[in-house]
Amino acid sequence: MGPHPAVAAIRLAVRRVLHDVIAEHAEQNERAGRAPHPELARAGTGGRLGTLPDRPDTPLVLVACSGGADSMALASALAFEARKLPVRAGGITVDHGLQDGSDLRAAEVAARLAAMDLGPVEAVAVHVGREGGPEAAARDARYAALDAAAERHGAAAVLLGHTRDDQAETVLLGLARGSGIRSLSGMAASSGPAGRYRRPFLQLDRQTARTACLAQSLPVWDDPHNIDPAYTRSRLRHEGLPALEKALGKGVVEALARTAQLSRDDADALDTWAAAADRDVRDDAGRLECAKLYALPPAVRRRVLRRAAIEAGSPAGSLFARHIEEVDRLVTGWRGQQAINLPGRVEALRQGGRLVIRQS
């Protein structure tokens, strides 16, 4: 008798990602002139393997685990699949220090990961600041810790347990902010430096992960912050989405996740167009020419302006649509305006038919 359908679904999702990591690792070895382990090439084409010894030339994949149902299901699937593939599997849990006893809980999660035969396993404590609000600050601290752990251990990938439900929430949050199509595209299946972060569960719902934990008798921890109405995402999860489903019927989550993928495809195409256009709208000294910018479609022009602002030192996470709209008016609605101040002490001004974006 095979595994429970929910368990089979999460294992298949993780297996697909691991095959991608193995294939990419083999390709990197080939480019570097290193002979790949013969099992790496075989696994990269979907071949099945027996248990392999721990080898330093096999890629390390870490799972970021909070102890919740999504990440515990992910950890169990990684542990199971890694036994059959030329992959080393480890785990990281981050202690945000926002609740009493969080250090003990992190140690407990680390012990559970080690009991799954994952290694290396770490519990990392972080300091959560206040910039951007509590949710954004916690996220920034968490990703900084995961980045550091990946660098420290030389990990090829870090698996994250975001589900289709998380994707739907992200799309709605972007919509509520009035953000552009890139924000509506939600979370990518692969993101971060060199595609470090992988999200195998974006096509699976949250209930599948929870059911998989129940089927395997995996203990899970439900973070009280996830039901605290003080947090925007919590209100959206427990009030907003249920209200939408009541008004519009079932299938809202699936439709929003589908919207994310369609938006991502469109945003990727526009970004590619903007990258090419960026070269064509500059003079010989590399300055942006307003007349050439004006001739671009608005969606492409604003992407060129955003790229220029980020290159000048404006933090991408603090650069919003309203900022780019103000800079865009220097091109399309020039009335002698003063310089536009952007995050990161960057300013944009028009001089002699050129758009200058620089650190002030």
Side-chain angles (χ1 to χ4, degrees):
M1 184 176 178
H4 188 282
V7 175
I10 65 169
R11 288 177 179 175
L12 176 60
V14 169
R15 189 183 316 142
R16 287 170 172 164
V17 169
L18 293 182
H19 280 302
D20 289 342
V21 172
I22 291 165
E24 291 162 12
H25 186 76
E27 184 178 345
Q28 290 171 3
N29 280 339
E30 184 178 352
R31 286 201 302 266
R34 296 189 296 266
H37 188 282
E39 300 289 11
L40 284 173
R42 184 176 157 203
T45 59
R48 293 183 61 83
L49 304 170
T51 301
L52 291 174
D54 187 24
R55 292 181 55 100
D57 59 344
T58 58
L60 171 64
V61 177
L62 299 174
V63 57
C65 185
S66 67
D70 302 340
S71 59
M72 285 299 293
L74 183 60
S76 71
L78 173 61
F80 180 85
E81 294 296 331
R83 298 187 190 106
K84 305 181 293 180
L85 296 170
V87 171
R88 291 174 293 139
I92 302 293
T93 186
V94 177
D95 171 18
H96 297 85
L98 298 176
Q99 301 167 15
D100 292 338
S102 63
D103 55 338
L104 298 177
R105 193 172 330 34
E108 183 180 351
V109 172
R112 290 175 186 170
L113 296 177
M116 294 178 184
D117 292 330
L118 296 177
V121 167
E122 274 192 279
V124 182
V126 298
H127 171 72
V128 177
R130 296 185 177 182
E131 187 174 353
E135 292 169 281
R139 182 176 61 248
D140 290 345
R142 180 167 60 254
Y143 276 100
L146 294 176
D147 278 334
E151 294 291 342
R152 188 162 56 250
H153 295 291
V158 178
L159 305 189
L160 304 176
H162 297 120
T163 64
R164 187 169 62 193
D165 301 78
D166 296 306
Q167 184 74 297
E169 293 161 8
T170 301
V171 172
L172 283 176
L173 289 170
L175 184 63
R177 288 193 298 265
S179 303
I181 194 172
R182 176 57 71 186
S183 182
L184 297 184
S185 66
M187 296 175 286
S190 175
S191 66
R196 168 178 292 159
Y197 294 108
R198 310 295 175 101
R199 298 177 174 88
F201 290 175
L202 285 184
Q203 301 302 317
L204 300 176
D205 60 26
R206 190 173 288 140
Q207 188 56 46
T208 297
R210 185 167 289 275
T211 300
C213 289
L214 289 172
Q216 298 174 96
S217 299
L218 293 174
V220 300
W221 171 66
D222 291 315
D223 187 347
H225 283 170
N226 290 336
I227 58 173
D228 187 343
Y231 295 94
T232 304
R233 187 176 285 268
S234 175
R235 294 195 303 273
L236 179 60
R237 179 174 301 176
H238 298 288
E239 300 173 25
L241 270 173
L244 280 175
E245 290 196 332
K246 182 178 180 180
L248 303 176
K250 295 293 184 181
V252 170
V253 168
E254 292 87 342
L256 287 169
R258 194 161 54 248
T259 296
Q261 185 56 58
L262 293 172
S263 297
R264 181 166 298 281
D265 292 343
D266 290 348
D268 287 346
L270 287 168
D271 284 348
T272 300
W273 187 353
D278 185 87
R279 297 187 293 270
D280 297 333
V281 297
R282 295 180 182 271
D283 62 17
D284 293 340
R287 297 173 299 180
L288 292 166
E289 297 189 64
C290 292
K292 292 180 179 178
L293 284 167
Y294 187 87
L296 291 174
V300 177
R301 181 175 60 247
R302 287 170 184 160
R303 278 170 166 75
V304 172
L305 298 179
R306 179 178 173 81
R307 285 166 54 94
I310 292 172
E311 288 173 1
S314 195
S318 303
L319 195 61
F320 301 133
R322 66 177 185 273
H323 296 127
I324 303 304
E325 287 170 3
E326 289 298 319
V327 177
D328 194 38
R329 288 192 186 96
L330 295 177
V331 177
T332 62
W334 174 241
R335 298 291 185 275
Q337 299 98 309
Q338 296 298 310
I340 305 298
N341 293 318
L342 301 174
R345 298 197 310 169
V346 171
E347 66 175 9
L349 65 157
R350 181 163 172 158
Q351 292 180 337
R354 303 292 191 272
L355 188 67
V356 179
I357 302 178
R358 65 191 180 194
Q359 202 99 38
S360 61

